Amino acid sequence: MNGYGGTILRVNLTDGKITKEPTPAQLARDFIGGRGFGIYFLFKEVPKHVDALGPENKLIISTGPLSGMLAPGGGKCDWTTKSPLTGGYADASMGGHFTAEMKYAGLDTIILEGISPKPVYLFIDNDKIQLLDAAAFWGKGAIDVEVELKHKYGEEYQVAAIGPGGENQVLYACINHDYGRQAGRGGVGAVMGSKKVKAIVLHGTKSVVVADPENYHKAGLALYKACKDAEGLAEWSRYGTTVVTSWCNEVGALPTRNFSAGSFEGIDQINGQAMRKEIVITDKGCFGCPSPCGKYSNMKRYNTQVEGPEYETIGLMGSNLGIADIQVVGEANRLADDMGIDSISAGSCIAWAMECYEKGILTKADTDGLELKFGNADAVFTLIKKIGHREGKLGELLALGVNRASQQVGQGSEKFAIHVKGMEQSAYATHNATAMLLAYMTCDVGAHHNRSWAITYDLQVGREKVVPEKVARIIWLQNFRPMFDVMGSCRLQWVELGIDRDLYVPLLEAITGVKRTWQDLEAVGNRIWTLTRMYWLRENDGFDRQWDLPSPRFYTEPPKTGATAGQITKFEDVQRLLDMYYEQRGWDSHGLPTPATLDTLNLTALVA
């Protein structure tokens, strides 16, 4: 098939059997690639109600037709599995160079099945595929292991590895690659650790056949030119995602002290300008990227280096922990990366524990002696390592995620556990931002921002409004934005540089030979979105609209300080948002897709 590697690789870790099969043309037609392939295999092949950390769960790694191609940011790879954190659908998008090498090795999808009897790493060099002994790497940090494997095989080999967090099955463990890119959310690293796979090392040199080479070249160059001509390129390249930090603070969206407020008094010590001045060494891009948002940083005080921190980490491990020091945030980022745990979820769990401590719900007897107050950097460093190793009472508790931890502790702490469906909320406070609140409530993996980043839309049309137009905007974003993950390309060139999305259409056609409009692509996005909803329904008895509710903090506790002081979304408006959303999606009042909707999206047979 044009634009694809052409092969699905299956690795059965239980018996060591490695097999290949051709990528079905119908699968490419209906689900295109990336997270589309991921949910298809997850729904079709993983039995109902399996243990997410058991042998029947699968870890599905997929490229898309733009992966490794002449497309700005064509370095995205999707990791799909059943989430040990939420019990529902998990997928995580990872940048870097892994996906290009995977495509050049002729692979569209790698499916890890079963559980290895001993620690291994998967080695792929074109058609040479082996499971090798990883005993020497087990127990080591994710970054250290990547360095060792690069030294062993060479820089042209790409490495994705887990840290102690994945080995110890911290429920929000991530997978690291390229010294700072992560498949971060939902516990994909814990699933890889449960299978005793420490790393994947791969290299490929095969060609990818395209349908129309002349127009492929022409369409690719048009996209790069649009990026280079973009007015915002220089600022975006200088600051990356941290460009929004001060803006979020100004509009009351910066999570502060466990989302109790949206503005932070120490903003000038952690914003993009402070980071650039104090710790950034140089810029870094992923495969084919003309607008490098990655930043290599050096924390002189600790004599350590990290890629980052990005905005999300600054929000969750900076202001949300009461930390007004960019070097502390950078060091916390480095520790989380090497432990192989998601800095968003880890930051949220630590913030919840700090609030518990300051309210007297947790004491030093519970924290192994830590003075767990907001702003205590040493306590943050200690806790990150304890979580990664599941060490001590608090490390074990917080390794479960904030939802389970709050249910164990009780005493009202559930009300300030900030999550949706068990996934910790990323770095946008939503006390009075109804579109962004709905985006979190209905996101297909839990409270994650990248499906529908709508905070700017709230400000554009009126943040308190609860109207059908806002709901329609969220649905459009959810159908459209994740298509970049399906195609294997970064969305940030469209989001941040404002390039015309129609430029992608001729490129996709020239690569695959299939003519599609954005209307066609959004229909595929709707099919994928609805199938992920059906997965949640299938895996969780009693799944209904209660699962879509946000943390009570956002409808019961108006912030006392900052830009949103005194503002809140009423609970009745939360329910109205859901009613309108379900109706526009073609779901019933419980939030379940109707038979007619499934039939329209050609999903009836698949979900039967």
Side-chain angles (χ1 to χ4, degrees):
M1 288 186 299
N2 295 318
Y4 290 84
T7 300
I8 308 295
L9 175 69
R10 292 183 186 273
V11 180
N12 188 311
L13 296 152
T14 303
D15 60 16
K17 187 177 180 181
I18 296 172
T19 58
K20 291 182 177 179
E21 58 199 60
T23 303
Q26 184 175 347
L27 176 63
R29 184 196 68 191
D30 293 344
F31 291 92
I32 298 179
R35 66 191 295 267
F37 282 15
I39 184 58
Y40 173 82
F41 285 118
L42 182 70
F43 201 103
K44 188 170 182 287
E45 297 188 359
V46 176
K48 297 178 183 177
H49 301 311
V50 300
D51 179 357
L53 299 175
E56 292 181 291
N57 194 14
K58 300 185 181 186
L59 183 58
I60 303 153
I61 310 150
S62 299
T63 67
L66 299 188
S67 300
M69 307 300 283
L70 184 63
K76 284 291 189 177
C77 184
D78 182 88
W79 301 66
T80 294
T81 192
K82 179 175 181 176
S83 171
L85 179 67
T86 68
Y89 162 72
D91 101 303
S93 177
M94 184 181 79
H97 301 263
F98 187 91
T99 195
E101 293 295 324
M102 185 172 156
K103 189 84 162 281
Y104 303 155
L107 303 176
D108 296 315
T109 296
I110 301 170
I111 302 178
L112 301 183
E113 306 171 335
I115 289 180
S116 172
K118 64 178 183 179
V120 294
Y121 66 97
L122 176 62
F123 177 82
I124 300 172
D125 189 347
N126 287 317
D127 294 324
K128 183 181 180 182
I129 304 172
Q130 298 172 295
L131 287 170
L132 301 174
D133 188 359
F137 303 112
W138 203 253
K140 294 184 177 179
I143 305 298
D144 290 341
V145 168
E146 181 168 5
V147 170
E148 288 190 40
L149 287 169
K150 285 272 191 178
H151 285 165
K152 181 179 178 70
Y153 292 108
E155 278 297 320
E156 67 271 30
Y157 287 78
Q158 298 302 320
V159 178
I162 61 170
E167 296 174 14
N168 296 315
Q169 299 171 27
V170 174
L171 297 187
Y172 45 87
C174 63
I175 297 164
N176 281 265
H177 160 60
D178 202 23
Y179 307 117
R181 301 281 101 184
Q182 283 88 29
R185 308 231 65 195
V188 294
V191 175
M192 189 155 144
S194 75
K195 297 185 177 303
K196 289 192 168 52
V197 176
K198 181 66 179 179
I200 301 173
V201 182
L202 61 79
H203 176 48
T205 58
K206 297 180 182 179
S207 297
V208 178
V209 177
V210 300
D212 183 344
E214 184 177 345
N215 279 322
Y216 165 55
H217 188 245
K218 182 179 175 182
L221 289 182
L223 270 164
Y224 277 99
K225 184 177 186 306
C227 293
K228 289 295 184 185
D229 292 344
E231 192 175 317
L233 177 62
E235 186 177 24
W236 172 255
S237 299
R238 181 168 177 76
Y239 295 110
T241 60
T242 68
V243 74
V244 303
T245 312
S246 291
W247 177 83
C248 284
N249 188 66
E250 291 168 8
V251 303
L254 183 69
T256 300
R257 294 183 179 82
N258 199 29
F259 286 86
S260 61
S263 302
F264 183 49
E265 70 279 5
I267 181 64
D268 291 341
Q269 285 74 52
I270 60 170
N271 61 13
Q273 290 74 16
M275 178 175 160
R276 192 83 204 184
K277 180 181 178 182
E278 287 197 36
I279 62 174
V280 171
I281 304 169
T282 190
D283 306 323
K284 176 194 172 190
C286 298
F287 175 87
C289 180
S291 48
C293 67
K295 308 297 161 200
Y296 275 129
S297 298
N298 178 41
M299 288 72 72
K300 293 179 182 176
R301 190 184 308 150
Y302 306 103
N303 190 28
T304 55
Q305 295 77 41
V306 71
E307 187 201 322
E310 294 190 345
Y311 167 71
E312 297 294 332
T313 304
I314 288 176
L316 271 303
M317 289 192 157
S319 53
N320 206 41
L321 301 181
I323 301 288
D325 186 329
I326 194 64
Q327 293 208 39
V328 171
V329 178
E331 178 63 5
N333 191 163
R334 186 193 69 81
L335 289 168
D337 285 1
D338 209 38
M339 285 292 109
I341 57 175
D342 174 21
S343 63
I344 296 174
S345 288
S348 187
C349 288
I350 294 171
W352 168 83
M354 284 178 159
E355 184 165 346
C356 284
Y357 185 82
E358 293 205 348
K359 288 182 172 176
I361 296 172
L362 296 179
T363 68
K364 283 189 176 180
D366 304 302
T367 66
D368 300 322
L370 287 176
E371 182 75 358
L372 203 56
K373 292 186 175 180
F374 285 109
N376 187 339
D378 290 337
V380 172
F381 298 158
T382 299
L383 257 187
I384 291 171
K385 289 182 277 192
K386 282 180 173 288
I387 292 170
H389 292 290
R390 297 186 82 136
E391 177 187 310
K393 284 173 60 177
L394 194 55
E396 176 64 32
L397 178 71
L398 298 185
L400 302 175
V402 75
N403 183 29
R404 287 182 172 88
S406 66
Q407 289 176 353
Q408 283 197 19
V409 170
Q411 303 181 62
S413 68
E414 307 94 325
K415 294 180 180 177
F416 54 85
I418 312 299
H419 70 94
V420 177
K421 300 183 185 70
M423 176 182 277
E424 294 75 16
Q425 182 161 321
S426 56
Y428 298 94
T430 48
H431 300 88
N432 188 20
T434 52
M436 194 68 223
L437 184 67
L438 181 64
Y440 277 131
M441 291 160 60
T442 57
C443 178
D444 59 355
V445 292
H448 195 43
H449 61 286
N450 77 344
R451 310 304 208 256
S452 180
W453 191 68
I455 186 75
T456 54
Y457 187 68
D458 275 314
L459 297 175
Q460 178 186 339
V461 303
R463 58 194 307 161
E464 76 289 350
K465 285 187 176 177
V466 179
V467 294
E469 291 79 8
K470 268 196 174 183
V471 175
R473 175 77 175 188
I474 295 302
I475 291 173
W476 175 72
L477 286 169
Q478 291 174 341
N479 291 343
F480 158 55
R481 280 176 58 115
M483 289 308 295
F484 287 99
D485 298 333
V486 171
M487 295 189 293
S489 176
C490 181
R491 67 174 60 80
L492 291 177
Q493 284 77 27
W494 171 76
V495 176
E496 302 296 343
L497 303 184
I499 65 172
D500 185 351
R501 70 171 188 160
D502 286 340
L503 290 171
Y504 287 91
V505 173
L507 178 67
L508 185 63
E509 180 180 351
I511 290 173
T512 63
V514 179
K515 186 176 181 60
R516 298 177 191 263
T517 65
W518 267 112
Q519 188 177 15
D520 300 328
L521 294 170
E522 288 167 15
V524 175
N526 192 8
R527 179 181 302 127
I528 294 169
W529 195 268
T530 305
L531 187 56
T532 62
R533 187 74 174 186
M534 293 302 295
Y535 187 76
W536 280 95
L537 170 64
R538 192 189 81 172
E539 294 301 307
N540 295 281
D541 295 335
F543 182 82
D544 64 9
R545 64 187 294 145
Q546 296 299 315
W547 288 63
D548 289 330
L549 294 177
S551 165
R553 173 147 284 174
F554 296 116
Y555 55 82
T556 61
E557 296 182 50
K560 295 177 180 176
T561 60
T564 54
Q567 300 177 28
I568 205 155
T569 301
K570 297 176 182 175
F571 187 64
E572 53 263 39
D573 285 338
V574 171
Q575 296 288 4
R576 285 176 60 211
L577 285 167
L578 283 181
D579 288 340
M580 288 188 281
Y581 180 88
Y582 296 156
E583 182 179 0
Q584 290 189 32
R585 275 279 182 202
W587 299 355
D588 67 18
S589 61
H590 300 287
L592 311 180
T594 65
T597 297
L598 295 174
D599 193 48
T600 300
L601 296 171
N602 198 25
L603 288 172
T604 303
L606 183 58
V607 304

